[in-house]
Amino acid sequence: MERFDELLTELRSMFPHGHRKFILACLDEMELHSQKNADYAKGGDPLGNFHRVSLMLNSWGLDVSPALVAFIYMLKQVDAVGNMLGQKYEGEVEGINKRLQDISVYAKLIGVLYDEQR
C-alpha cells in the first residue's frame, strides 16, 4: 500500500526474513485496531471495552477476566472463519481475510490483557 511504502522499506531492512506480505499484514492490523479503537475507546482506555464487559459479567456473578472476554470475542471470529471455510463461502459483510485480521488483533490484545492482569 502506497501510504506504507517508506515504512515498509525500513521495516523490511530491519526484518529481512519471512514472507514479504507479512509486515504489510501487521501494518494493516495496526490500522484496523486503531480505527476500531476510535469507536470502542473514544480516546479513553484502548482496552476499556474488554474491562467494561468483564466488570459487567463479574457483577452478574461470573468470574471473567478482560483477557477471557477478548478470547471469547476471538472465538466468534474463529467460528465464523471455520463455517466459511467448511461451507465454502466468503461472507457478505466481513470476509475470511478481514475476520483473520480480527483474530490476529485479538490474539495480540489477549497477550496485552493477560500481561496486565498478572
Side-chain angles (χ1 to χ4, degrees), residues 45-60:
D45 178 359
L47 302 176
N49 56 324
F50 302 113
H51 292 283
R52 290 187 300 273
V53 171
S54 173
L55 288 171
M56 185 177 7
L57 293 170
N58 288 329
S59 75
W60 299 342

PDB file of all heavy atoms in Angstrom, residues 45-60:
ATOM      1  N   ASP A  45      -9.334   4.478  27.675  1.00  0.00           N
ATOM      2  CA  ASP A  45      -8.561   3.239  27.764  1.00  0.00           C
ATOM      3  C   ASP A  45      -8.723   2.446  26.467  1.00  0.00           C
ATOM      4  O   ASP A  45      -9.834   2.071  26.103  1.00  0.00           O
ATOM      5  CB  ASP A  45      -9.075   2.414  28.953  1.00  0.00           C
ATOM      6  CG  ASP A  45      -8.382   1.076  29.125  1.00  0.00           C
ATOM      7  OD1 ASP A  45      -7.497   0.727  28.322  1.00  0.00           O
ATOM      8  OD2 ASP A  45      -8.745   0.354  30.078  1.00  0.00           O
ATOM      9  N   PRO A  46      -7.614   2.173  25.756  1.00  0.00           N
ATOM     10  CA  PRO A  46      -7.722   1.459  24.489  1.00  0.00           C
ATOM     11  C   PRO A  46      -8.281   0.038  24.620  1.00  0.00           C
ATOM     12  O   PRO A  46      -8.727  -0.541  23.646  1.00  0.00           O
ATOM     13  CB  PRO A  46      -6.291   1.423  23.950  1.00  0.00           C
ATOM     14  CG  PRO A  46      -5.451   2.145  24.894  1.00  0.00           C
ATOM     15  CD  PRO A  46      -6.263   2.571  26.064  1.00  0.00           C
ATOM     16  N   LEU A  47      -8.262  -0.499  25.828  1.00  0.00           N
ATOM     17  CA  LEU A  47      -8.817  -1.835  26.066  1.00  0.00           C
ATOM     18  C   LEU A  47     -10.028  -1.763  26.991  1.00  0.00           C
ATOM     19  O   LEU A  47     -10.440  -2.757  27.586  1.00  0.00           O
ATOM     20  CB  LEU A  47      -7.737  -2.758  26.651  1.00  0.00           C
ATOM     21  CG  LEU A  47      -6.491  -2.915  25.770  1.00  0.00           C
ATOM     22  CD1 LEU A  47      -5.437  -3.757  26.480  1.00  0.00           C
ATOM     23  CD2 LEU A  47      -6.835  -3.504  24.422  1.00  0.00           C
ATOM     24  N   GLY A  48     -10.595  -0.565  27.093  1.00  0.00           N
ATOM     25  CA  GLY A  48     -11.706  -0.339  28.018  1.00  0.00           C
ATOM     26  C   GLY A  48     -12.920  -1.204  27.759  1.00  0.00           C
ATOM     27  O   GLY A  48     -13.609  -1.602  28.703  1.00  0.00           O
ATOM     28  N   ASN A  49     -13.198  -1.521  26.485  1.00  0.00           N
ATOM     29  CA  ASN A  49     -14.375  -2.346  26.198  1.00  0.00           C
ATOM     30  C   ASN A  49     -14.249  -3.725  26.844  1.00  0.00           C
ATOM     31  O   ASN A  49     -15.221  -4.266  27.369  1.00  0.00           O
ATOM     32  CB  ASN A  49     -14.624  -2.460  24.687  1.00  0.00           C
ATOM     33  CG  ASN A  49     -13.448  -2.998  23.906  1.00  0.00           C
ATOM     34  OD1 ASN A  49     -12.298  -2.723  24.211  1.00  0.00           O
ATOM     35  ND2 ASN A  49     -13.734  -3.755  22.872  1.00  0.00           N
ATOM     36  N   PHE A  50     -13.056  -4.300  26.858  1.00  0.00           N
ATOM     37  CA  PHE A  50     -12.863  -5.611  27.486  1.00  0.00           C
ATOM     38  C   PHE A  50     -13.001  -5.505  29.005  1.00  0.00           C
ATOM     39  O   PHE A  50     -13.575  -6.385  29.643  1.00  0.00           O
ATOM     40  CB  PHE A  50     -11.502  -6.194  27.115  1.00  0.00           C
ATOM     41  CG  PHE A  50     -11.308  -6.333  25.629  1.00  0.00           C
ATOM     42  CD1 PHE A  50     -10.378  -5.560  24.968  1.00  0.00           C
ATOM     43  CD2 PHE A  50     -12.070  -7.227  24.887  1.00  0.00           C
ATOM     44  CE1 PHE A  50     -10.198  -5.674  23.598  1.00  0.00           C
ATOM     45  CE2 PHE A  50     -11.904  -7.350  23.515  1.00  0.00           C
ATOM     46  CZ  PHE A  50     -10.963  -6.563  22.873  1.00  0.00           C
ATOM     47  N   HIS A  51     -12.477  -4.419  29.563  1.00  0.00           N
ATOM     48  CA  HIS A  51     -12.599  -4.201  31.012  1.00  0.00           C
ATOM     49  C   HIS A  51     -14.065  -3.986  31.405  1.00  0.00           C
ATOM     50  O   HIS A  51     -14.524  -4.535  32.416  1.00  0.00           O
ATOM     51  CB  HIS A  51     -11.747  -3.001  31.456  1.00  0.00           C
ATOM     52  CG  HIS A  51     -10.285  -3.244  31.345  1.00  0.00           C
ATOM     53  ND1 HIS A  51      -9.577  -3.996  32.248  1.00  0.00           N
ATOM     54  CD2 HIS A  51      -9.384  -2.822  30.418  1.00  0.00           C
ATOM     55  CE1 HIS A  51      -8.306  -4.027  31.899  1.00  0.00           C
ATOM     56  NE2 HIS A  51      -8.163  -3.330  30.790  1.00  0.00           N
ATOM     57  N   ARG A  52     -14.788  -3.188  30.629  1.00  0.00           N
ATOM     58  CA  ARG A  52     -16.200  -2.924  30.947  1.00  0.00           C
ATOM     59  C   ARG A  52     -17.048  -4.191  30.875  1.00  0.00           C
ATOM     60  O   ARG A  52     -17.866  -4.450  31.767  1.00  0.00           O
ATOM     61  CB  ARG A  52     -16.766  -1.851  30.011  1.00  0.00           C
ATOM     62  CG  ARG A  52     -16.208  -0.456  30.273  1.00  0.00           C
ATOM     63  CD  ARG A  52     -16.917   0.613  29.446  1.00  0.00           C
ATOM     64  NE  ARG A  52     -16.821   0.405  28.008  1.00  0.00           N
ATOM     65  CZ  ARG A  52     -15.814   0.835  27.245  1.00  0.00           C
ATOM     66  NH1 ARG A  52     -14.797   1.483  27.799  1.00  0.00           N
ATOM     67  NH2 ARG A  52     -15.826   0.634  25.940  1.00  0.00           N
ATOM     68  N   VAL A  53     -16.848  -5.001  29.849  1.00  0.00           N
ATOM     69  CA  VAL A  53     -17.626  -6.238  29.723  1.00  0.00           C
ATOM     70  C   VAL A  53     -17.250  -7.196  30.851  1.00  0.00           C
ATOM     71  O   VAL A  53     -18.119  -7.855  31.434  1.00  0.00           O
ATOM     72  CB  VAL A  53     -17.422  -6.887  28.334  1.00  0.00           C
ATOM     73  CG1 VAL A  53     -18.043  -8.279  28.273  1.00  0.00           C
ATOM     74  CG2 VAL A  53     -18.018  -5.996  27.254  1.00  0.00           C
ATOM     75  N   SER A  54     -15.973  -7.259  31.208  1.00  0.00           N
ATOM     76  CA  SER A  54     -15.540  -8.099  32.320  1.00  0.00           C
ATOM     77  C   SER A  54     -16.226  -7.673  33.620  1.00  0.00           C
ATOM     78  O   SER A  54     -16.742  -8.514  34.370  1.00  0.00           O
ATOM     79  CB  SER A  54     -14.015  -8.011  32.480  1.00  0.00           C
ATOM     80  OG  SER A  54     -13.589  -8.672  33.642  1.00  0.00           O
ATOM     81  N   LEU A  55     -16.254  -6.374  33.883  1.00  0.00           N
ATOM     82  CA  LEU A  55     -16.912  -5.867  35.094  1.00  0.00           C
ATOM     83  C   LEU A  55     -18.403  -6.194  35.094  1.00  0.00           C
ATOM     84  O   LEU A  55     -18.971  -6.565  36.128  1.00  0.00           O
ATOM     85  CB  LEU A  55     -16.704  -4.359  35.228  1.00  0.00           C
ATOM     86  CG  LEU A  55     -15.300  -3.903  35.613  1.00  0.00           C
ATOM     87  CD1 LEU A  55     -15.184  -2.383  35.504  1.00  0.00           C
ATOM     88  CD2 LEU A  55     -14.951  -4.372  37.011  1.00  0.00           C
ATOM     89  N   MET A  56     -19.034  -6.061  33.938  1.00  0.00           N
ATOM     90  CA  MET A  56     -20.461  -6.371  33.834  1.00  0.00           C
ATOM     91  C   MET A  56     -20.704  -7.846  34.140  1.00  0.00           C
ATOM     92  O   MET A  56     -21.588  -8.185  34.932  1.00  0.00           O
ATOM     93  CB  MET A  56     -20.951  -6.027  32.425  1.00  0.00           C
ATOM     94  CG  MET A  56     -22.438  -6.194  32.237  1.00  0.00           C
ATOM     95  SD  MET A  56     -23.085  -5.726  30.595  1.00  0.00           S
ATOM     96  CE  MET A  56     -21.682  -5.376  29.602  1.00  0.00           C
ATOM     97  N   LEU A  57     -19.924  -8.723  33.534  1.00  0.00           N
ATOM     98  CA  LEU A  57     -20.091 -10.160  33.763  1.00  0.00           C
ATOM     99  C   LEU A  57     -19.784 -10.528  35.213  1.00  0.00           C
ATOM    100  O   LEU A  57     -20.475 -11.351  35.814  1.00  0.00           O
ATOM    101  CB  LEU A  57     -19.213 -10.960  32.798  1.00  0.00           C
ATOM    102  CG  LEU A  57     -19.616 -10.859  31.328  1.00  0.00           C
ATOM    103  CD1 LEU A  57     -18.552 -11.489  30.434  1.00  0.00           C
ATOM    104  CD2 LEU A  57     -20.969 -11.489  31.082  1.00  0.00           C
ATOM    105  N   ASN A  58     -18.766  -9.899  35.765  1.00  0.00           N
ATOM    106  CA  ASN A  58     -18.422 -10.168  37.168  1.00  0.00           C
ATOM    107  C   ASN A  58     -19.532  -9.703  38.100  1.00  0.00           C
ATOM    108  O   ASN A  58     -19.792 -10.343  39.128  1.00  0.00           O
ATOM    109  CB  ASN A  58     -17.085  -9.511  37.534  1.00  0.00           C
ATOM    110  CG  ASN A  58     -15.910 -10.225  36.888  1.00  0.00           C
ATOM    111  OD1 ASN A  58     -15.941 -11.433  36.666  1.00  0.00           O
ATOM    112  ND2 ASN A  58     -14.878  -9.485  36.575  1.00  0.00           N
ATOM    113  N   SER A  59     -20.217  -8.605  37.743  1.00  0.00           N
ATOM    114  CA  SER A  59     -21.315  -8.122  38.590  1.00  0.00           C
ATOM    115  C   SER A  59     -22.489  -9.094  38.580  1.00  0.00           C
ATOM    116  O   SER A  59     -23.337  -9.071  39.465  1.00  0.00           O
ATOM    117  CB  SER A  59     -21.777  -6.727  38.140  1.00  0.00           C
ATOM    118  OG  SER A  59     -22.530  -6.798  36.951  1.00  0.00           O
ATOM    119  N   TRP A  60     -22.542  -9.954  37.577  1.00  0.00           N
ATOM    120  CA  TRP A  60     -23.590 -10.973  37.487  1.00  0.00           C
ATOM    121  C   TRP A  60     -23.169 -12.280  38.144  1.00  0.00           C
ATOM    122  O   TRP A  60     -23.864 -13.292  38.052  1.00  0.00           O
ATOM    123  CB  TRP A  60     -23.939 -11.248  36.034  1.00  0.00           C
ATOM    124  CG  TRP A  60     -24.473 -10.065  35.289  1.00  0.00           C
ATOM    125  CD1 TRP A  60     -24.992  -8.913  35.813  1.00  0.00           C
ATOM    126  CD2 TRP A  60     -24.530  -9.913  33.876  1.00  0.00           C
ATOM    127  NE1 TRP A  60     -25.366  -8.054  34.821  1.00  0.00           N
ATOM    128  CE2 TRP A  60     -25.100  -8.645  33.611  1.00  0.00           C
ATOM    129  CE3 TRP A  60     -24.159 -10.707  32.806  1.00  0.00           C
ATOM    130  CZ2 TRP A  60     -25.310  -8.162  32.330  1.00  0.00           C
ATOM    131  CZ3 TRP A  60     -24.370 -10.231  31.528  1.00  0.00           C
ATOM    132  CH2 TRP A  60     -24.940  -8.981  31.301  1.00  0.00           C
TER     133      TRP A  60
END
